Coordinates of all heavy atoms in Angstrom, one line a residue:
K1 N 7.7 7.8 21.8 CA 6.6 7.0 22.0 C 6.4 6.6 23.5 O 5.3 6.4 24.0 CB 6.7 5.7 21.2 CG 6.3 5.9 19.7 CD 6.4 4.5 19.0 CE 6.1 4.7 17.5 NZ 6.4 3.5 16.8
V2 N 7.5 6.4 24.2 CA 7.4 5.9 25.6 C 7.0 7.1 26.6 O 6.7 6.9 27.7 CB 8.7 5.3 26.1 CG1 9.1 4.1 25.3 CG2 9.8 6.3 26.2
L3 N 6.9 8.3 26.0 CA 6.5 9.4 26.9 C 5.0 9.7 26.9 O 4.5 10.5 27.7 CB 7.3 10.7 26.4 CG 8.8 10.6 26.5 CD1 9.4 11.8 25.8 CD2 9.2 10.6 28.0
G4 N 4.3 9.1 26.0 CA 2.8 9.3 25.9 C 2.1 8.4 26.9 O 2.6 7.6 27.6
V5 N 0.8 8.6 26.9 CA -0.1 7.8 27.7 C -0.6 6.6 26.9 O -1.0 6.8 25.7 CB -1.3 8.6 28.2 CG1 -2.4 7.7 28.8 CG2 -0.9 9.7 29.2
N6 N -0.5 5.4 27.4 CA -1.0 4.2 26.7 C -2.1 3.6 27.5 O -1.8 2.8 28.4 CB 0.2 3.3 26.5 CG -0.2 2.2 25.5 OD1 -1.4 1.9 25.3 ND2 0.8 1.6 24.8
I7 N -3.3 3.9 27.2 CA -4.5 3.4 28.0 C -4.6 1.9 27.8 O -5.3 1.2 28.6 CB -5.7 4.2 27.7 CG1 -6.7 4.1 28.9 CG2 -6.4 3.7 26.4 CD1 -6.2 4.8 30.1
K8 N -4.0 1.3 26.8 CA -4.1 -0.2 26.6 C -3.5 -0.9 27.7 O -3.7 -2.1 28.0 CB -3.3 -0.6 25.3 CG -4.2 -0.3 24.0 CD -3.4 -0.8 22.8 CE -4.2 -0.5 21.5 NZ -3.4 -0.5 20.3
T9 N -2.6 -0.2 28.5 CA -2.0 -0.8 29.7 C -3.1 -1.3 30.6 O -3.0 -2.4 31.2 CB -1.1 0.3 30.4 OG1 -0.1 0.7 29.5 CG2 -0.5 -0.3 31.7
L10 N -4.1 -0.4 30.8 CA -5.2 -0.8 31.7 C -6.1 -1.9 31.1 O -6.6 -2.7 31.8 CB -6.1 0.4 32.1 CG -5.4 1.5 32.9 CD1 -6.3 2.7 33.1 CD2 -5.0 0.9 34.3
Q11 N -6.2 -1.8 29.8 CA -7.1 -2.7 29.1 C -6.5 -4.2 29.1 O -7.2 -5.1 29.3 CB -7.3 -2.3 27.6 CG -8.4 -2.8 26.9 CD -8.5 -2.2 25.5 OE1 -7.9 -1.2 25.2 NE2 -9.3 -2.8 24.6
Y12 N -5.2 -4.3 28.8 CA -4.6 -5.6 28.7 C -3.6 -5.9 29.8 O -3.0 -7.0 29.8 CB -3.8 -5.7 27.3 CG -4.7 -5.5 26.2 CD1 -4.7 -4.4 25.4 CD2 -5.6 -6.5 25.8 CE1 -5.6 -4.2 24.3 CE2 -6.5 -6.4 24.7 CZ -6.5 -5.2 24.0 OH -7.3 -5.0 22.9
Q13 N -3.4 -5.0 30.8 CA -2.5 -5.2 31.9 C -1.1 -5.5 31.5 O -0.5 -6.4 32.1 CB -3.1 -6.3 32.8 CG -4.4 -6.0 33.4 CD -4.9 -7.1 34.3 OE1 -4.1 -7.7 35.0 NE2 -6.2 -7.4 34.3
V14 N -0.7 -4.9 30.4 CA 0.7 -5.1 29.9 C 1.6 -4.0 30.2 O 1.3 -2.8 29.8 CB 0.6 -5.4 28.4 CG1 2.0 -5.6 27.8 CG2 -0.3 -6.5 28.0
P15 N 2.7 -4.2 31.0 CA 3.6 -3.1 31.3 C 4.2 -2.5 30.0 O 4.3 -3.2 29.0 CB 4.7 -3.8 32.1 CG 4.2 -5.1 32.5 CD 3.1 -5.5 31.6
G16 N 4.6 -1.2 30.0 CA 5.1 -0.5 28.9 C 6.3 -1.3 28.2 O 6.4 -1.4 27.0
G17 N 7.3 -1.7 29.0 CA 8.4 -2.4 28.4 C 8.1 -3.7 27.7 O 8.7 -4.1 26.7
M18 N 7.0 -4.4 28.2 CA 6.5 -5.6 27.6 C 5.9 -5.3 26.2 O 6.1 -6.1 25.3 CB 5.5 -6.3 28.5 CG 5.1 -7.6 28.1 SD 4.0 -8.3 29.4 CE 3.3 -9.7 28.5
L19 N 5.2 -4.2 26.1 CA 4.6 -3.8 24.9 C 5.6 -3.6 23.8 O 5.5 -4.1 22.7 CB 3.8 -2.5 25.0 CG 2.4 -2.6 25.7 CD1 1.8 -1.2 25.9 CD2 1.4 -3.4 24.8
S20 N 6.7 -2.9 24.1 CA 7.8 -2.7 23.1 C 8.5 -4.0 22.7 O 8.9 -4.2 21.6 CB 8.8 -1.6 23.6 OG 9.3 -1.9 24.9
N21 N 8.6 -4.9 23.7 CA 9.2 -6.2 23.4 C 8.3 -7.0 22.4 O 8.8 -7.6 21.4 CB 9.2 -7.1 24.7 CG 10.5 -7.1 25.3 OD1 11.5 -6.5 24.9 ND2 10.6 -7.8 26.4
L22 N 7.0 -6.9 22.6 CA 6.1 -7.6 21.6 C 6.2 -7.1 20.2 O 6.2 -7.8 19.3 CB 4.6 -7.4 22.1 CG 4.2 -8.0 23.5 CD1 2.8 -7.7 23.8 CD2 4.4 -9.5 23.5
V23 N 6.3 -5.7 20.1 CA 6.4 -5.1 18.8 C 7.6 -5.6 18.1 O 7.6 -6.0 16.9 CB 6.4 -3.6 18.9 CG1 6.7 -2.9 17.6 CG2 5.0 -3.1 19.5
S24 N 8.8 -5.6 18.9 CA 10.0 -6.1 18.2 C 10.0 -7.5 17.8 O 10.5 -7.9 16.8 CB 11.3 -5.7 19.1 OG 11.2 -6.4 20.3
Q25 N 9.4 -8.4 18.7 CA 9.3 -9.8 18.4 C 8.5 -10.0 17.1 O 8.8 -10.8 16.2 CB 8.6 -10.6 19.5 CG 9.6 -10.8 20.7 CD 8.9 -11.6 21.9 OE1 7.7 -11.6 22.0 NE2 9.7 -12.1 22.8
L26 N 7.3 -9.3 17.0 CA 6.5 -9.4 15.8 C 7.2 -8.9 14.5 O 7.0 -9.4 13.5 CB 5.1 -8.7 16.0 CG 4.2 -9.4 17.0 CD1 3.0 -8.5 17.4 CD2 3.7 -10.7 16.5
K27 N 7.9 -7.8 14.7 CA 8.7 -7.2 13.6 C 9.7 -8.2 13.1 O 9.8 -8.4 11.8 CB 9.4 -5.9 14.1 CG 9.7 -5.0 13.0 CD 10.2 -3.6 13.6 CE 10.5 -2.6 12.5 NZ 11.0 -1.3 13.1
E28 N 10.4 -8.8 14.0 CA 11.4 -9.8 13.6 C 10.8 -11.0 12.8 O 11.4 -11.5 11.8 CB 12.1 -10.4 14.8 CG 13.3 -9.6 15.2 CD 13.9 -10.2 16.5 OE1 14.0 -11.4 16.6 OE2 14.3 -9.4 17.4
A29 N 9.6 -11.3 13.2 CA 8.9 -12.4 12.5 C 8.1 -12.0 11.2 O 7.5 -12.8 10.6 CB 7.9 -13.1 13.5
G30 N 8.2 -10.7 11.0 CA 7.4 -10.1 9.8 C 5.9 -10.2 10.0 O 5.2 -10.4 9.0
Q31 N 5.4 -10.2 11.2 CA 4.0 -10.3 11.5 C 3.4 -9.2 12.4 O 2.7 -9.5 13.3 CB 3.8 -11.7 12.2 CG 4.3 -12.9 11.4 CD 3.4 -14.0 11.3 OE1 2.2 -13.9 11.5 NE2 3.9 -15.2 11.1
E32 N 3.8 -8.0 12.0 CA 3.4 -6.8 12.8 C 1.9 -6.7 12.8 O 1.3 -6.1 13.7 CB 4.1 -5.6 12.3 CG 5.5 -5.5 12.7 CD 6.3 -4.3 12.0 OE1 6.3 -3.3 12.6 OE2 6.8 -4.5 10.9
D33 N 1.2 -7.2 11.8 CA -0.2 -7.1 11.7 C -0.9 -7.9 12.7 O -2.2 -7.8 12.9 CB -0.7 -7.5 10.3 CG -0.3 -8.9 9.9 OD1 0.8 -9.3 10.3 OD2 -1.1 -9.7 9.3
K34 N -0.2 -8.8 13.4 CA -0.8 -9.7 14.4 C -0.8 -9.0 15.8 O -1.1 -9.7 16.8 CB -0.1 -11.0 14.5 CG -0.1 -11.8 13.2 CD -1.4 -12.6 13.1 CE -1.6 -13.4 11.8 NZ -0.5 -14.0 11.1
Y35 N -0.4 -7.8 15.9 CA -0.2 -7.1 17.2 C -1.5 -7.2 18.1 O -1.4 -7.6 19.3 CB 0.2 -5.6 17.0 CG 0.4 -4.8 18.3 CD1 1.4 -5.1 19.2 CD2 -0.4 -3.7 18.5 CE1 1.6 -4.4 20.3 CE2 -0.2 -2.9 19.7 CZ 0.8 -3.3 20.6 OH 1.0 -2.5 21.7
Q36 N -2.6 -6.9 17.5 CA -3.9 -6.9 18.2 C -4.2 -8.3 18.7 O -4.7 -8.5 19.9 CB -5.0 -6.3 17.4 CG -6.3 -6.1 18.1 CD -6.2 -5.1 19.2 OE1 -5.5 -4.1 19.2 NE2 -7.0 -5.3 20.3
D37 N -4.0 -9.3 17.9 CA -4.2 -10.7 18.2 C -3.4 -11.1 19.4 O -3.9 -11.8 20.3 CB -3.9 -11.6 17.1 CG -4.8 -11.4 15.9 OD1 -5.9 -10.8 16.0 OD2 -4.4 -11.8 14.7
V38 N -2.1 -10.6 19.5 CA -1.2 -11.0 20.6 C -1.7 -10.3 21.9 O -1.7 -10.9 22.9 CB 0.2 -10.5 20.3 CG1 1.1 -10.7 21.5 CG2 0.8 -11.4 19.1
L39 N -2.1 -9.0 21.8 CA -2.7 -8.3 22.9 C -3.9 -9.1 23.5 O -4.0 -9.1 24.8 CB -3.1 -6.9 22.6 CG -2.0 -5.8 22.5 CD1 -2.6 -4.5 22.1 CD2 -1.2 -5.7 23.8
E40 N -4.7 -9.6 22.7 CA -5.9 -10.3 23.2 C -5.5 -11.7 23.7 O -6.2 -12.3 24.5 CB -6.9 -10.5 22.0 CG -7.6 -9.1 21.8 CD -8.4 -9.0 20.5 OE1 -8.6 -10.1 19.9 OE2 -8.7 -7.9 20.1
E41 N -4.4 -12.3 23.2 CA -3.9 -13.6 23.6 C -3.3 -13.5 25.0 O -3.3 -14.5 25.8 CB -3.0 -14.2 22.6 CG -2.3 -15.5 22.9 CD -3.3 -16.7 23.1 OE1 -4.6 -16.5 22.9 OE2 -2.9 -17.8 23.4

């Protein structure tokens, strides 16, 4: 996954390592469906 192009980087100005951190934080909280909300926040 980290080898692909992630155009959301330009959209949300979020570094790649930070994106994977967010996914794991949401997974731990059982709220992976909130990913888009977090990106917008």
Side-chain angles (χ1 to χ4, degrees):
K1 280 183 184 174
V2 301
L3 296 172
V5 167
N6 192 336
I7 207 65
K8 280 182 180 161
T9 300
L10 293 176
Q11 199 176 346
Y12 299 106
Q13 299 183 36
V14 178
M18 188 176 165
L19 281 173
S20 51
N21 261 0
L22 297 179
V23 173
S24 64
Q25 283 178 344
L26 289 169
K27 200 172 183 179
E28 272 176 42
Q31 305 225 21
E32 288 171 89
D33 59 321
K34 299 274 179 37
Y35 181 62
Q36 190 59 36
D37 295 340
V38 171
L39 279 181
E40 287 165 13
E41 176 64 1

